[in-house]
Amino acid sequence: MKDQKPAYRIGHGFDVHGFEAGDSIMLGGIKIPHTQGFQAHSDGDVLLHSVCDALLGAIAEGDIGRHFPDTDPAYAGIASTRLLVEVYQRVVEAGYRVSNLDVTVIAQSPKLSAYIQAMRESLAAMLDSGLDQINIKATTTEELGYIGREEGIAVHSVVILAAA
């Protein structure tokens, strides 16, 4: 098996960003009005960061911080859509494509149901995938913990890659 490329690879990603002053957040490549913004070196799109980590994990290429360190001024304020496109190019170069992606956003606020479809469409376009391959769901923590106190948002992502 050492010399044989696996037919499938799985990756898991997790990211969290706290809030700071602002009037909107970027989530899944979509600008969403909110009473706060994200604390981040980039645009703070916690959903795309989680997906990047899942993709990088699936191809055994570390995590987003390894490739785009928050200590590098070149990434200050960068659109996370650019990061995801670059990460996905690495996936393609490794000989894989997305089989399916499942994302869970954990947020007390803002309410996300009105934005889920647009986020799915955004991800499908960036990952050269069909909508039936991309799932995004949102949940709260029932007002428990830092998310329940509306201090930030966390996201888990799981991806299965198939050999191209």
Side-chain angles (χ1 to χ4, degrees):
M1 176 94 175
K2 185 176 179 183
D3 295 328
Q4 184 179 354
K5 182 167 124 178
Y8 294 96
R9 307 283 305 248
I10 188 168
H12 174 263
F14 173 79
D15 200 25
V16 61
H17 280 287
F19 290 130
E20 66 180 10
D23 61 3
S24 64
I25 58 172
M26 291 299 295
L27 203 59
I30 305 300
K31 187 175 183 177
I32 298 173
H34 189 44
T35 58
Q36 302 175 86
F38 281 131
Q39 298 170 353
H41 184 68
S42 66
D43 66 3
D45 192 325
V46 64
L47 190 153
L48 295 188
H49 296 175
S50 176
V51 171
C52 284
D53 275 350
L55 291 167
L56 289 166
I59 60 169
E61 285 289 328
D63 62 23
I64 193 171
R66 175 175 155 196
H67 296 276
F68 312 105
D70 63 8
T71 55
D72 187 338
Y75 302 115
I78 194 168
S80 297
T81 53
R82 288 185 51 201
L83 304 180
L84 181 57
V85 167
E86 188 171 323
V87 166
Y88 192 61
Q89 184 59 41
R90 291 175 185 270
V91 169
V92 170
E93 289 169 1
Y96 290 92
R97 61 176 174 73
V98 170
S99 176
N100 73 296
L101 171 68
D102 188 31
V103 177
T104 303
V105 181
I106 309 160
Q108 198 66 41
S109 71
K111 297 300 180 197
L112 299 173
S113 59
Y115 304 98
I116 298 280
Q117 185 65 18
M119 288 189 283
R120 287 180 65 221
E121 291 169 0
S122 172
L123 276 166
M126 287 182 278
L127 300 175
D128 193 27
S129 300
L131 278 177
D132 62 338
Q133 295 169 274
I134 309 294
N135 187 59
I136 300 174
K137 55 200 175 294
T139 190
T140 71
T141 60
E142 302 295 331
E143 300 181 356
L144 297 173
Y146 68 92
I147 293 172
R149 291 187 302 269
E150 299 184 28
E151 296 173 12
I153 292 178
V155 180
H156 288 272
S157 298
V158 178
V159 67
I160 295 179
L161 302 180

